Amino acid sequence: MASIAQPQIQAPTLPKPQAEESGLWSWLTTVDHKRIAKMYGISAFLFFLLGGLEALLIRAQLSRPENNVVDAQRYSELFTIHGTTMIFLVVMPLSVAFFNLVVPLQIGARDVAFPRLNAFSYWTFLAGALILYIPVLFSLPGIFAHAAAVAWSNILGSPLLNGVQPWFDANLPFATVVPDQGWYGYAPLTESLFSGREIDFWALSLQVLGVASMAGAFNFIVTIINMRAPGMSMMRMPMFTWSTLIVSILIVLAFPAITIALVLLTFDRLGGTMFYRAFSLTDGTLVTAGGDPMLWQHLFWIFGHPEVYILILPAFGLVNEIIPVFSRKPLFGYAVMVYATAAIAFLGFGVWVHHMFTTGIGPTPVAAFSASTMLIAIPTGVKILNWTATMWGGSLQFTTAMLFAVGLVSQFVIGGLSGVMHAVVPVDTHHNDSYFVVAHFHYVLFGGSIFALIGGLFYYWPKVFGKMLDERLGKIQFWLQFAGFNLTFFPMHFLGLAGMPRRYSTYSFESGWWFWNIIASIGALMIAASVLIFLINVTRTTRFGRQAEANPWDGSTLEWAIPSPPPVYNFRITPLVTHRDQLWHDKYDRVQESAGRPDQVADTIVAIDQLPERSPVGVAVAEAEAEEGHIHLPNPSYYPLLLSIGLFLLAFGILVNNPHIQLGFFGIPIISAFGFLLLVTALYGWSFEPAG
Amino acid sequence: MAIAIEVETARGAGHIDHGGHGHSEHPPTSTGLDSRKMLMWLFLASDCMFFGTLISTYMIYRNRAIELGTPPYPNEIFDIPYTSVSAFVLLMSSLTMVLALSAIQRGDHRGLRIWIAATALLGAIFVGGQFFEFTEFTHEGLGLSTSVFGASFFVLTGFHGAHVTIGVVWLLSILFISLRGGMPAEKAVDVEIAGLYWHFVDIVWIVIFTLVYLIPYADGPEGVVEEAPHAFLRLVTVGERFLAALPF
Amino acid sequence: MADHGTHEHHESAHEGAHATNQMYVRIAIILAIITLVEVVIYYIPTIRSVLVPALIVLSLAKFLMVVGYFMHLKFDSRLYRFMFASGLVITLGVYLALLAMQWTRGYWFPLPAA
Ligand code: HEM
Ligand SMILES: [Cu+2]
């Protein structure tokens, strides 16, 4: 055991680092994890609003039988884009925003291990999102025009506006290339025989988004393993950091499967291969092509099931932070929680066939994967138990964040139970492709992920922006959202069991499904209202919000030891970690422990900065920095942005390719060639960029 | 508990990567391991999954040309002696790579340059060989859209070839930096990381060579397999052709 | 995951002590010989029945030698071993299961081939 730093070491007086830069250029070139977190968060929230708009259109269409708010084609586009948006452009990036914000602070680091890679991750995410959304944005006017035309002719009996939507479709670029095949893009629907350019947009967008996710995930694994403050052993890490680590491992192992699956799909569509094509049409006759649509389903769900854990584990991580703080108790069963998370991640790779029970895959796979799916519910149940036990006997404070966290616990139980019901194969045969499945995944994704992420926004808002969100509006939002959510999605269980299939644009009156459908649509409006309240809350808070202290919730992890909002350099002096709930230990335990002792230790760990801890190494680094005259931070860089632009152009060039914009030889799209050049240049510039 | 604070773990808060080639002093990380090397290992773990997906796709479709009767068939088209030489070339490039690393770790810059150049050359020979193989196959009628066997073969080996190509460019960059005097012994880890990538590409080829080329196809290659002496004769010819193609 | 905290990787990463150039050359020779053996047994009709297992064992040996010695994994940090192994194990597990399912399912082609 090394010796403890001598008490007489003086806290070095650090020169104040230059004021944080502002202006557009500083944002474009930033590598600061907190700014990247904000950009991720804001983008994800904008997509949340767009995805919500699409959901409202879906619910409007289904609100009564044989409705015509949107036509069947538009309806397919809407549910495809809604699903893809919510999964890839909302829940994932919002989780990544929290990773970026929280992880470096929780482990006591100045930034992530590879700050530029982090910036690259964000810009690439934006590039992928744009590829998907360029067609969507151009198709929205047509959708609204159609709705207006229908309303006009229903109310006034005149077909005046009927020509508007076709006009938009014909004249707006990209308006007709909105993907319409569903978020899991089953072959052979995605083959060129049955679809058009829209699938290329979808496929390339997901590939680019995959690059972004993987870049971020690699970075977080290295950061968490290598950048922890002294004394923070793995088993002293806060649970959110653990969740980030495990989710990142899932990302780097799951995304390759879909990336290759999409590459093969792109080859099928643009390169003439037949990976997913069982039959093709040659001279008007069907012939065996040799490919197998089942391969797509396998590869997609080999990614897809780990993906659902990528979506839920960050939310669990947030709940792991929120519940103990507002129960005024350390998390019950920390180690078990860690192992349960790891077990879920590991088992998550062994259950994918439960999405394929009804494909006729055969009794052995069905039995094996049914068993593994039931198995995975066990570690999930363990978590529920731990949260309940954490709250048990605690002095509960129902702040908005806590309400949302407890909301997750209750709603996720419902979703988890319907998941276990799907695991029972005879039952799933009835559920499959019905609204029952829609109910299941909304209970886990909305009642689970989104609830916790919104709770996380309330919990971390003061840390990021230095202002407290209004608690009264927050509680109104919660109850409205909670009620609206259950009103929308609980009836879908009934609808599914009554036989209502998913993805049909309408239904007949005789089916009897209209009652629960109108209820669900009313619930959707309530959810919309709750989101509106949140927006009002944010605006009000920005204007008049109460200033937040460093630790407004009396949290126990390191991020609460520094001011709100945190300075650019996070910690002036790298903290020394001695306990899992460090701040609680410092505040509550040490007083008792050091009472009556000739305690050098209590002297050693005197408050230097905001933080009541310091470490020999941290002090040494700080002294060195004081000598140099500044705190050492990574330099801003524009190469990440350039690299992402290159990637965007590379993909976009393929999408808008036509004979007029090709290079003379090989028919290479000019835009792609330019993108590739930019990419290579940026890569070299990046690797030779001088030190920060 | 408060007395016995464990400070033995104090290894600094980790270092931030400030860019490829500026700083040489690396503050210690929590594990004492180099962050960029760790990044490479993680990437390789993930790359296992990339290649796993492609290899499985191939394994699912490898017999389909034969089953459906859509020639050319794998057991006719593969030239085992030729590919054995390629496999050997790539294998030996792993040796030269590791020698390059060991040279720079000893501060032997000349050694580094020679061995890196050799590795890049061997890699380039491999890629060139693959290019010839692909053109041969195309002449014999195997294309991307001939059969799913052909498609999965080209996509798998092409993806691997792209990896090798990137590796060659990377090695040449290192050679260039070293020639400009920018690769001191303290930066041996830069070479080591490139080496990890390079060896990984080699082990993937070890797997591909076995699963794609050597393991027999559906109807068994009995009828098609060359007589052993004949094959060895051809192996010698292939070797001679390679030697003749070298620029010295 | 390495849950014993941060102090268990002290003696990581100094492979120079474990591997020398002679050893690298020796390994390369063994690798070359194994490759030769693989190609030779491919041409011997009498051992056809054990060809596949033999090839798999031989290439596995090559694989492990390159990873262990050339990539230094044998001497390097346990953490690297854990990382690479988890990628490998998940890949193998997932794709062996996939192949088992696809191979036993057979393929149905009632129409003439393209
Ligand atoms: C207790 C754990 C869970 C079990 C046992 C489970 C089981 C299942 C099963 C068997 C299906 C297939 C139903 C069918 O299509 O017939 C399914 C669908 C689905 N699950 Fe879960 N699940 C669980 C948790 C989750 C979580 C945590 C998420 C996401 C956060 C999730 C998201 C989904 C989605 C999105 C689908 C539908 C995919 C689609 O068809 O579009 N599930 N689940
Ligand atoms: Cu699943």
Side-chain angles (χ1 to χ4, degrees):
Chain A
M1 184 168 294
S3 65
I4 293 167
Q6 291 309 301
Q8 53 266 35
I9 292 181
Q10 285 302 305
T13 35
L14 289 177
K16 283 262 172 282
Q18 319 84 311
E20 204 173 345
E21 305 219 355
S22 57
L24 182 64
W25 185 246
S26 77
W27 283 90
L28 294 179
T29 59
T30 186
V31 293
D32 176 2
H33 69 100
K34 298 178 288 297
R35 285 191 162 196
I36 294 172
K38 283 185 197 167
M39 296 198 288
Y40 252 122
I42 291 168
S43 319
F45 200 82
L46 287 179
F47 284 115
F48 180 57
L49 297 181
L50 282 166
L53 179 69
E54 290 144 14
L56 285 179
L57 282 163
I58 294 175
R59 279 320 318 167
Q61 165 67 8
L62 293 181
S63 59
R64 54 195 192 119
E66 284 160 51
N67 210 358
N68 187 24
V69 174
V70 291
D71 57 23
Q73 172 61 29
R74 295 294 174 162
Y75 185 83
S76 303
E77 293 171 4
L78 281 173
F79 70 66
T80 302
I81 292 295
H82 166 72
T84 311
T85 303
M86 287 303 188
I87 286 173
F88 294 103
L89 307 186
V90 178
V91 176
M92 283 187 77
L94 207 51
S95 306
V96 175
F98 281 110
F99 298 171
N100 264 302
L101 172 74
V102 178
V103 168
L105 300 181
Q106 276 194 337
I107 62 174
R110 290 250 161 89
D111 207 318
V112 293
F114 304 99
R116 289 176 301 172
L117 190 62
N118 210 18
F120 168 72
S121 164
Y122 172 71
W123 295 117
T124 307
F125 157 75
L126 201 62
L130 274 183
I131 293 175
L132 189 71
Y133 257 83
I134 286 172
V136 177
L137 293 178
F138 280 111
S139 84
L140 279 178
I143 290 180
F144 288 123
H146 177 83
V150 170
W152 188 273
S153 59
N154 280 355
I155 299 166
L156 298 178
S158 117
L160 188 63
L161 292 174
N162 282 5
V164 181
Q165 190 218 355
W167 186 87
F168 275 131
D169 283 356
N171 289 294
L172 290 181
F174 305 116
T176 53
V177 287
V178 185
D180 57 356
Q181 81 292 0
W183 83 279
Y184 47 54
Y186 275 1
L189 264 187
T190 48
E191 289 288 324
S192 30
L193 196 56
F194 305 106
S195 61
R197 299 292 282 172
E198 67 276 2
I199 306 297
D200 299 326
F201 277 82
W202 176 78
L204 277 167
S205 155
L206 288 202
Q207 284 172 76
V208 174
L209 288 171
V211 172
S213 302
M214 290 183 60
F218 284 128
N219 205 346
F220 283 111
I221 302 177
V222 178
T223 304
I224 292 170
I225 292 180
N226 252 359
M227 309 272 295
R228 282 165 289 142
M232 179 169 284
S233 61
M234 296 301 273
M235 291 312 266
R236 282 184 194 151
M237 270 175 9
M239 266 321 288
F240 184 76
T241 301
W242 263 112
S243 302
T244 307
L245 178 65
I246 288 172
V247 167
S248 303
I249 294 174
L250 279 174
I251 290 178
V252 303
L253 292 180
F255 267 78
I258 191 165
T259 306
I260 294 296
L262 289 164
V263 167
L264 300 185
L265 177 66
T266 308
F267 267 103
D268 267 13
R269 300 180 48 80
L270 306 175
T273 58
M274 302 167 289
F275 288 110
Y276 306 126
R277 200 183 308 166
F279 309 113
S280 40
L281 205 55
T282 311
D283 306 329
T285 47
L286 272 182
V287 290
T288 297
D292 190 345
M294 282 286 275
L295 179 65
W296 169 268
Q297 291 202 21
H298 276 297
L299 296 185
F300 184 87
W301 290 116
I302 285 173
F303 149 79
H305 192 85
E307 168 72 8
V308 308
Y309 289 110
I310 295 169
L311 298 170
I312 197 67
L313 290 181
F316 283 179
L318 286 169
V319 169
N320 282 329
E321 296 298 321
I322 295 172
I323 288 188
V325 166
F326 296 114
S327 307
R328 316 304 308 142
K329 273 175 71 189
L331 183 68
F332 176 88
Y334 170 94
V336 176
M337 196 63 116
V338 170
Y339 297 136
T341 312
I344 289 179
F346 181 75
L347 291 175
F349 279 99
V351 298
W352 80 89
V353 173
H354 67 215
H355 296 273
M356 304 165 64
F357 281 154
T358 56
T359 54
I361 194 167
T364 318
V366 162
F369 281 90
S370 168
S372 66
T373 304
M374 292 181 193
L375 202 64
I376 207 169
I378 296 174
T380 316
V382 165
K383 294 188 160 224
I384 304 284
L385 180 109
N386 282 3
W387 292 322
T388 320
T390 306
M391 288 187 275
W392 185 266
S395 30
L396 304 183
Q397 297 171 349
F398 282 104
T399 58
T400 311
M402 180 67 164
L403 285 175
F404 273 106
V406 179
L408 171 141
V409 178
S410 62
Q411 303 306 287
F412 186 84
V413 166
I414 300 176
L417 284 178
S418 56
V420 180
M421 288 167 79
H422 302 323
V424 182
V425 180
V427 177
D428 180 65
T429 311
H430 188 54
H431 292 172
N432 185 251
D433 257 340
S434 79
Y435 259 82
F436 197 90
V437 172
V438 179
H440 159 69
F441 64 71
H442 282 94
Y443 266 87
V444 284
L445 277 172
F446 196 137
S449 308
I450 294 286
F451 267 42
L453 287 167
I454 294 182
L457 285 179
F458 274 89
Y459 185 63
Y460 280 115
W461 199 274
K463 186 48 66 188
V464 196
F465 296 104
K467 297 263 179 80
M468 307 293 287
L469 281 174
D470 189 284
E471 279 291 308
R472 205 167 45 93
L473 279 179
K475 282 175 190 158
I476 298 175
Q477 178 198 347
F478 171 77
W479 286 112
L480 199 57
Q481 190 163 327
F482 186 84
F485 167 74
N486 279 290
L487 213 54
T488 310
F489 294 105
F490 206 83
M492 291 186 186
H493 291 109
F494 308 146
L495 285 170
L497 292 180
M500 179 166 167
R502 59 194 283 207
R503 298 186 171 172
Y504 280 33
S505 65
T506 193
Y507 52 91
S508 68
F509 178 77
E510 292 74 34
S511 65
W513 299 329
W514 57 270
F515 177 71
W516 290 119
N517 267 303
I518 183 72
I519 298 286
S521 295
I522 293 170
L525 283 178
M526 288 169 68
I527 298 175
S530 76
V531 174
L532 209 63
I533 293 179
F534 181 70
L535 289 176
I536 294 171
N537 197 345
V538 169
T539 341
R540 276 183 45 131
T541 302
T542 316
R543 291 242 196 97
F544 323 108
R546 185 160 59 79
Q547 215 64 37
E549 316 129 47
N551 191 357
W553 315 118
D554 195 10
S556 67
T557 38
L558 291 182
E559 72 269 32
W560 302 111
I562 54 175
S564 311
V568 257
Y569 47 82
N570 298 351
F571 297 86
R572 296 188 77 184
I573 293 179
T574 302
L576 172 69
V577 178
T578 55
H579 287 78
R580 197 174 281 155
D581 290 302
Q582 186 70 43
L583 267 51
W584 285 354
H585 167 76
D586 297 341
K587 196 164 165 187
Y588 303 114
D589 301 353
R590 206 173 52 219
V591 182
Q592 298 169 359
E593 283 173 7
S594 55
R597 286 210 187 109
D599 200 347
Q600 313 155 314
V601 178
D603 287 339
T604 313
I605 327 172
V606 282
I608 295 177
D609 204 337
Q610 299 281 329
L611 195 74
E613 302 284 342
R614 64 175 174 175
S615 71
V617 177
V619 171
V621 171
E623 277 174 342
E625 281 168 340
E627 230 162 76
E628 261 188 62
H630 68 294
I631 291 184
H632 203 82
L633 284 175
N635 277 343
S637 168
Y638 50 82
Y639 288 116
L641 177 61
L642 276 190
L643 195 57
S644 304
I645 295 178
L647 203 60
F648 174 81
L649 293 178
L650 186 65
F652 202 67
I654 297 172
L655 292 170
V656 297
N657 190 18
N658 72 52
H660 303 298
I661 45 172
Q662 285 176 349
L663 288 184
F665 44 98
F666 298 134
I668 296 173
I670 282 184
I671 300 179
S672 298
F674 179 69
F676 184 72
L677 264 171
L678 195 62
L679 195 141
V680 173
T681 319
L683 211 57
Y684 268 88
W686 178 322
S687 28
F688 288 99
E689 195 170 31
Chain B
M1 176 58 216
I3 308 280
I5 290 180
E6 298 164 51
V7 198
E8 56 184 335
T9 57
R11 271 179 169 278
H15 85 278
I16 292 173
D17 169 53
H18 294 295
H21 303 279
H23 270 230
S24 45
E25 87 283 4
H26 288 303
T29 57
S30 326
T31 54
L33 302 173
D34 183 87
S35 286
R36 287 181 308 140
K37 189 171 157 192
M38 186 178 291
L39 183 70
M40 178 47 77
W41 272 113
L42 289 167
F43 171 74
L44 297 183
S46 164
D47 223 16
C48 283
M49 212 50 198
F50 273 105
F51 277 107
T53 314
L54 282 167
I55 292 173
S56 314
T57 304
Y58 182 80
M59 294 308 276
I60 289 168
Y61 290 147
R62 74 198 295 273
N63 282 322
R64 202 138 289 171
I66 296 170
E67 289 164 359
L68 289 175
T70 45
Y73 304 129
N75 43 7
E76 300 169 355
I77 199 164
F78 288 150
D79 186 343
I80 302 297
Y82 181 85
T83 313
S84 311
V85 174
S86 290
F88 178 75
V89 165
L90 202 58
L91 209 54
M92 288 308 111
S93 78
S94 261
L95 173 64
T96 53
M97 183 71 234
V98 86
L99 291 178
L101 174 62
S102 124
I104 188 63
Q105 279 169 344
R106 280 178 281 111
D108 171 5
H109 293 278
R110 212 173 139 257
L112 169 75
R113 289 167 200 160
I114 290 176
W115 291 121
I116 284 280
T119 314
L121 180 69
L122 290 171
I125 292 178
F126 177 87
V127 176
Q130 194 172 42
F131 187 75
F132 276 120
E133 189 193 36
F134 280 16
T135 31
E136 271 308 285
F137 287 6
T138 324
H139 285 151
E140 291 178 40
L142 188 69
L144 266 180
S145 45
T146 317
S147 61
V148 279
F149 150 68
S152 49
F153 169 80
F154 281 122
V155 173
L156 167 60
T157 52
F159 193 70
H160 178 266
H163 269 72
V164 182
T165 311
I166 291 170
V168 171
V169 174
W170 189 349
L171 293 175
L172 291 178
S173 312
I174 288 180
L175 181 63
F176 178 73
I177 293 167
S178 167
L179 286 172
R180 301 260 314 257
M183 193 58 75
E186 306 85 68
K187 284 216 216 153
V189 70
D190 286 15
V191 180
E192 189 177 357
I193 293 168
L196 289 177
Y197 175 82
W198 190 261
H199 297 304
F200 180 77
V201 172
D202 184 27
I203 56 176
V204 172
W205 191 256
I206 291 176
V207 175
I208 291 181
F209 183 54
T210 302
L211 295 184
V212 173
Y213 290 89
L214 293 182
I215 288 186
Y217 283 80
D219 57 356
E222 274 84 9
V224 211
V225 154
E226 296 171 279
E227 291 296 305
H230 184 193
F232 279 103
L233 211 64
R234 273 181 5 88
L235 190 64
V236 175
T237 335
V238 171
E240 276 172 1
R241 257 198 274 159
F242 261 114
L243 285 179
L246 291 180
F248 39 83
Chain C
M1 197 83 286
D3 43 335
H4 307 295
T6 53
H7 49 84
E8 60 175 324
H9 303 293
H10 281 298
E11 9 76 276
S12 57
H14 280 292
E15 52 294 306
H18 301 273
T20 60
N21 283 359
Q22 288 95 307
M23 190 168 101
Y24 291 142
V25 175
R26 229 176 299 141
I27 299 215
I29 293 173
I30 300 176
L31 287 171
I33 292 174
I34 299 182
T35 310
L36 193 66
V37 172
E38 284 181 322
V39 180
V40 168
I41 60 173
Y42 174 82
Y43 283 106
I44 303 177
T46 43
I47 56 166
R48 261 290 114 109
S49 50
V50 290
L51 179 64
V52 174
L55 284 174
I56 287 174
V57 169
L58 289 173
S59 55
L60 191 70
K62 279 164 62 178
F63 185 101
L64 291 178
M65 282 169 84
V66 175
V67 175
Y69 293 93
F70 286 177
M71 297 167 91
H72 310 299
L73 207 52
K74 190 153 181 263
F75 315 112
D76 221 331
S77 165
R78 270 176 37 198
L79 201 56
Y80 293 147
R81 239 173 294 163
F82 174 83
M83 286 173 177
F84 191 58
S86 34
L88 212 56
V89 165
I90 301 249
T91 305
L92 279 175
V94 165
Y95 287 114
L96 287 180
L98 171 64
L99 288 180
M101 282 184 277
Q102 284 295 86
W103 281 341
T104 52
R105 197 170 61 91
Y107 183 67
W108 181 70
F109 37 95
L111 299 170

